[in-house]
Amino acid sequence: MTSTELQDYIPQDQWPPVSAMLDGFGDQTLPASPALAGTTVRLPAEDGSTTEYGFEDASSLTWRVSGRVANQSGTATYKAIEARPGIFIIDFVLGQGVAAENVTIVLDHNTGAVTAGVSRFVTVDGKTRSTTEFIHSNTFGSAAVHGRSTGLVGKRIFYRYSDVETYEHIYLNPGTFTWNCIRGGEAGLADTDRCMTWDVADNLYIFFWTEKVMTVEAVLLVDLREQRSIGRMFGWDDPAAEPVILPFNSRLSVLNTTEYPQDTHKH
């Protein structure tokens, strides 16, 4: 019997805390790139403000938000991974506790397109929940940005985050997917949640999901050509009352792609 045949439905009140994934996922193993040192990325937002990230060296950056009532600035430690030549996924955390924010930027030096996802905590009905805001821009000043994608729809993909953590995703439509933990700290857990996908390059996608049971926001690159994903999960551990920040990379296999029958007769 496979592990999935031994598992059964698990009621929500029996789910473990989000920190149950921490030990099994381990450390992100892909190397950091120093290629962005000495460069600056400016992102204008729809509200008229501009966020500027200056990469001081291979791991330190400064940030500044201008154009709002109160300008803000600060420093952070970042990691940049070159997912493909000229295409970077950059990740860093600002603040602490319930005020923490996880910023993930996908920057394509080939096209100038850049997408920034900022995940933070909010209070809803007295509970700590999470939300993510996305900004799409172009460092070349052109109109080319990462556009919404249907490239994952219909695919069933198996993700190996470590030797002990494996999941599958089933992409139902551009805004909905199902995840299922095959093995690991969440074994037997499954749900259907909101997602969004954007095109970056051929068979390379930004993928975002947010969970309705656990307080989790995930932003990652799914690379079908290189058969890997790179990204992070940002969540809130209720029992410990603290953020859970989980950078990861995985090996993936496309299990199948669903093709619906083209009905030619009306009944």
Side-chain angles (χ1 to χ4, degrees), residues 236-258:
W236 183 256
D237 185 349
D238 265 325
E242 63 184 15
V244 174
I245 298 150
L246 188 61
F248 65 81
N249 56 267
S250 76
R251 295 167 290 126
L252 68 82
S253 300
V254 178
L255 302 179
N256 58 57
T257 300
T258 298

Side-chain angles (χ1 to χ4, degrees), residues 17-27 165 237 242-247:
V18 67
S19 58
M21 297 180 290
L22 281 175
D23 292 339
F25 272 68
D27 296 325
E165 291 281 348
D237 185 349
E242 63 184 15
V244 174
I245 298 150
L246 188 61

Side-chain angles (χ1 to χ4, degrees), residues 62-267:
T62 58
W63 60 272
R64 178 181 300 276
V65 180
S66 57
R68 293 179 179 171
V69 176
N71 294 339
Q72 296 175 298
S73 63
T75 61
T77 298
Y78 78 94
K79 180 178 182 179
I81 294 173
E82 192 166 10
R84 287 193 191 175
I87 301 175
F88 297 86
I89 181 167
I90 306 145
D91 196 74
F92 55 94
V93 176
L94 304 175
Q96 296 179 337
V98 74
E101 297 182 352
N102 198 162
V103 182
T104 300
I105 302 169
V106 175
L107 170 63
D108 186 350
H109 276 317
N110 305 307
T111 65
V114 56
T115 293
V118 182
S119 299
R120 57 177 61 91
F121 299 116
V122 294
T123 301
V124 179
D125 297 329
K127 294 184 178 181
T128 300
R129 300 299 299 168
S130 52
T131 186
T132 300
E133 176 188 5
F134 287 94
I135 299 172
H136 306 280
S137 189
N138 191 291
T139 59
F140 297 164
S142 80
V145 296
H146 298 134
R148 285 290 299 273
S149 174
T150 60
L152 294 178
V153 173
K155 287 182 167 49
R156 186 172 192 154
I157 300 181
F158 184 73
Y159 292 91
R160 306 168 188 84
Y161 293 99
S162 71
D163 291 339
V164 296
E165 291 281 348
T166 58
Y167 286 72
E168 66 175 338
H169 289 182
I170 305 169
Y171 304 96
L172 303 175
N173 60 43
T176 316
F177 86 118
T178 294
W179 59 266
N180 175 29
C181 182
I182 306 298
R183 184 174 54 157
E186 293 187 331
L189 301 190
D191 208 352
T192 298
D193 285 311
R194 177 184 172 230
C195 66
M196 289 192 288
T197 307
W198 293 269
D199 285 312
V200 179
D202 183 44
N203 277 322
L204 181 64
Y205 307 95
I206 299 169
F207 184 66
F208 159 77
W209 85 80
T210 181
E211 298 186 19
K212 58 182 176 289
V213 176
M214 292 190 178
T215 300
V216 169
E217 306 285 296
V219 181
L220 57 148
L221 280 174
V222 175
D223 193 334
L224 300 187
R225 190 189 77 184
E226 300 300 321
Q227 296 187 309
R228 66 188 180 192
S229 70
I230 311 165
R232 54 81 169 173
M233 282 182 278
F234 177 70
W236 183 256
D237 185 349
D238 265 325
E242 63 184 15
V244 174
I245 298 150
L246 188 61
F248 65 81
N249 56 267
S250 76
R251 295 167 290 126
L252 68 82
S253 300
V254 178
L255 302 179
N256 58 57
T257 300
T258 298
E259 294 184 5
Y260 294 105
Q262 299 298 312
D263 293 332
T264 57
H265 301 287
K266 295 181 178 180
H267 298 284

Side-chain angles (χ1 to χ4, degrees), residues 40-43 50-54 62-66:
T40 300
V41 174
R42 295 178 180 87
L43 298 177
T50 298
T51 303
E52 181 177 292
Y53 300 106
T62 58
W63 60 272
R64 178 181 300 276
V65 180
S66 57

